[in-house]
Amino acid sequence: MKARRRARAVALQGLYELDFTRHSPEYALGCRLRDRPMSASATAFTFHLVEGVVDRKSELDLVMAELAPEWPVDQIAVVDRNILRIAIYELLFDSDIPPKVAINEAVELAKLFGSDSSPRFVNGVLGSLASRGREHILATLTPQASKA
């Protein structure tokens, strides 16, 4: 598995744990990284993703609700919800990641960790974001978010 994909997978696992526990991001990721260390750059990328998602979780969930209105966010499978949070974070707030890469990586994570329908669902939600455009989505968030 490529280093960045593995970093995203570890971020997904950490975010999954955070949904069910009161652990800190540092603890959740630390346990995984202690068992299977990664390079310094991959580790930094993992923490960047998790911290970004945790810091912007409410905004990411608002975007998710807008992009998949037929699915209340709390009813989306936990794995799918966290894959979408990572990808939406990358698409909206991490300009270093090309949109096609963020979407492809999310679909690959959905294939690895989600149900049979997860890849199609993730691709559909993220395709909707891509078709609406980053600026349009950011404009629907708080004024502070659109300055990011």
Side-chain angles (χ1 to χ4, degrees):
M1 187 181 294
K2 294 179 182 176
R4 283 254 170 145
R5 182 166 299 157
R6 181 155 174 262
R8 286 181 179 91
V10 171
L12 172 62
Q13 292 166 342
L15 290 167
Y16 184 93
E17 180 176 332
L18 295 176
D19 271 0
F20 291 105
T21 68
R22 294 181 182 261
H23 296 162
S24 69
E26 294 78 16
Y27 178 82
L29 294 177
C31 291
R32 276 156 193 76
L33 295 171
R34 194 169 32 259
D35 294 338
R36 294 188 61 210
M38 295 188 293
S39 69
S41 63
T43 298
F45 182 63
T46 302
F47 275 92
H48 166 74
L49 290 175
V50 170
E51 290 166 357
V53 168
V54 168
D55 290 347
R56 295 188 177 270
K57 185 176 172 182
S58 61
E59 294 167 283
L60 299 172
D61 287 356
L62 284 172
V63 171
M64 201 180 317
E66 181 181 326
L67 297 172
E70 65 283 357
W71 287 95
V73 172
D74 63 341
Q75 291 181 13
I76 296 172
V78 177
V79 168
D80 295 351
R81 187 171 56 227
N82 281 303
I83 291 170
L84 288 169
R85 284 174 178 155
I86 291 168
I88 293 168
Y89 173 77
E90 287 187 293
L91 288 164
L92 296 181
F93 303 109
D94 194 339
S95 59
D96 292 340
I97 307 296
K100 287 183 181 182
V101 171
I103 294 170
N104 182 60
E105 288 296 315
V107 170
E108 291 301 318
L109 286 177
K111 289 176 184 176
L112 286 170
F113 295 101
S115 68
D116 288 343
S117 61
S118 294
R120 186 176 38 237
F121 175 68
V122 166
N123 191 53
V125 171
L126 298 176
S128 179
L129 189 157
S131 69
R132 292 181 190 194
R134 178 181 185 272
E135 295 307 317
H136 169 78
I137 297 295
L138 284 174
T140 66
L141 299 173
T142 63
Q144 181 180 356
S146 62
K147 295 177 184 172

